[in-house]
Each structure stands twice: as structure tokens, then as C-alpha cells.
Amino acid sequence: MLFSMSVYSDDISDFQIEEISLGDSLLDYLEENHIKSEIDYSTTKLYEYKTKDFAKIFWFKETDNYDYLSFIVENDESKVLIKKKGDTFFDKKYIIHQVNGKKHMSIKKCLAMKKKIVKDFSLMITNATKTESKFSPSFDPSGKSLIYFTYFTFDSKDEIAVECYDYSQILNDQGKRDGLFVNLITEDAKDWLSQTKQ
């Protein structure tokens, strides 16, 4: 199953991708050495122009439902949440602000799957604004790639996105593969992603 959730929900924290929720610590799923290596790549190469309070982490491990997962996590180790488990307090690092799953497939199959997922979400999400359309992304200068999207935006401004990427032949030749993205993301992570080069 591409996602799991409560039967009805108005809180994005009730949703999971591969049993991973926003607000979890990425340490519950990945080794810290891998996380630190990905943070270094994110902050010095991939997103060197963005602030350093968040970082993008890739996990190229195929699961039953996705070809790979990626995350946005808090990068400031001094910003830890204190959680109580029994009588013991512990620090929670690398808080997840985005969980994103990618599944490679043809655009025809993707659009059919997206339609089904959106229908399921529409029945189960009780308090979110739905927006859907398509656009040509700026990273393809040919203008021939298309992204078909549906966003469910909660009152908190956190968001669920279901997207189909239909890359142009030029990008296909560069290794880009069409497919489905299912994405859970907080407002803070969206703001960080929106930062551009000066």
C-alpha cells in the first residue's frame, strides 16, 4: 500500500508512507552515519544556497511500494524535542518534515493510480483544501515535461501531494524516469524548499 492512515483524519501526522510519519526521528529508520553523509551533501552541494536548518536525505532502497524514499529533516542538532517514554526522557534528533516516495511507471499508469489515490484521500481527509492542475517545470528548458498534481492542504498549511511526472524525451535520455510521487510535508519544509538562489 502506497500510504496508510486513520479511516478519517484532519491531521497530517495521522498519515504514513512506509510506516514513517512526519515528526518521527529519522534515526528510527536510518543509521546516523548515512544521515550525516546526506546532510553534508545537501548543505554543501545540492542545496548550498539554502539555509542550513534543514537538509534533504535520500534513501535509495527499493521497498514493496516505492523505488526510493527521500526526507527533509531538521539539521540543527541543538533543536531537539524532549519526548517521554515511560519514565525516561530522551532527545529526538533529525525530526522528519517531509516523507516522499517515488515509484517509476509509465505516465498512463501513473495518472490512473493518481486518480485512485486522490479519490481515497478525498473520502478520508475531513478538513483540507484540494487543488489540482498541471504545469511545465522550470528545470526542463524544452518546456515539454509536465507535472500533474493534486495537493491537499490542511489548516496548518502542512500538505499531502500526489504527483505524476511526465518527463520530456530530453530528460528521459538524461536518466529521468516518469512516475508517481506521494509526498507528506510540513509548512516549514515547504518554506525551506521555496528558498531560491540570490
Side-chain angles (χ1 to χ4, degrees):
M1 189 174 181
L2 290 167
F3 65 92
S4 58
M5 61 174 290
S6 304
V7 177
Y8 298 100
S9 179
D10 58 3
D11 189 330
I12 199 169
S13 64
D14 293 330
F15 293 80
Q16 296 181 326
I17 291 177
E18 299 295 29
E19 301 184 353
I20 302 171
S21 301
L22 299 181
D24 289 351
S25 169
L26 194 55
L27 286 172
D28 293 337
Y29 309 99
L30 295 178
E31 294 291 332
E32 188 164 18
N33 285 343
H34 177 79
I35 296 171
K36 286 184 173 181
S37 174
E38 287 289 301
I39 286 175
D40 181 65
Y41 179 76
S42 176
T43 56
T44 62
K45 294 184 174 64
L46 185 63
Y47 293 123
E48 78 285 352
Y49 56 91
K50 296 185 186 292
T51 57
K52 309 305 180 190
D53 46 340
F54 291 97
K56 185 82 170 182
I57 311 294
F58 288 92
W59 189 20
F60 292 105
K61 178 183 178 182
E62 189 172 345
T63 69
D64 290 340
N65 299 303
Y66 295 99
D67 291 295
Y68 68 86
L69 300 176
S70 64
F71 309 89
I72 292 174
V73 299
E74 289 184 18
N75 182 32
D76 183 354
E77 291 191 27
S78 65
K79 284 174 59 180
V80 296
L81 299 180
I82 305 300
K83 296 287 186 177
K84 187 173 183 181
K85 187 175 184 180
D87 293 326
T88 304
F89 287 86
F90 63 97
D91 292 344
K92 193 176 182 186
K93 297 180 181 179
Y94 309 118
I95 306 302
I96 297 171
H97 282 256
Q98 181 199 46
V99 187
N100 185 31
K102 168 70 185 293
K103 183 71 175 175
H104 303 309
M105 62 182 71
S106 70
I107 190 61
K108 181 177 180 180
K109 183 176 179 181
C110 185
L111 290 172
M113 185 170 288
K114 176 180 174 294
K115 184 176 180 180
K116 181 182 184 310
I117 293 171
V118 167
K119 181 179 178 181
D120 290 343
F121 277 149
S122 297
L123 291 172
M124 293 183 282
I125 296 175
T126 58
N127 188 20
T129 302
K130 183 171 78 169
T131 307
E132 51 189 345
S133 190
K134 63 182 177 181
F135 67 95
S136 180
S138 59
F139 57 73
D140 184 357
S142 77
K144 293 183 179 180
S145 294
L146 281 174
I147 298 175
Y148 301 82
F149 69 87
T150 301
Y151 300 151
F152 292 90
T153 307
F154 293 81
D155 290 342
S156 63
K157 305 304 180 185
D158 299 338
E159 194 168 81
I160 295 174
V162 187
E163 300 170 314
C164 286
Y165 278 59
D166 184 12
Y167 291 114
S168 66
Q169 187 59 52
I170 292 172
L171 294 186
N172 286 153
D173 291 343
Q174 294 174 5
K176 298 285 189 182
R177 298 179 64 183
D178 297 348
L180 176 76
F181 283 92
V182 181
N183 182 43
L184 312 177
I185 188 168
T186 66
E187 180 185 18
D188 288 342
K190 285 193 299 177
D191 290 343
W192 179 76
L193 280 175
S194 70
Q195 295 173 14
T196 57
K197 294 182 179 180
Q198 299 299 319

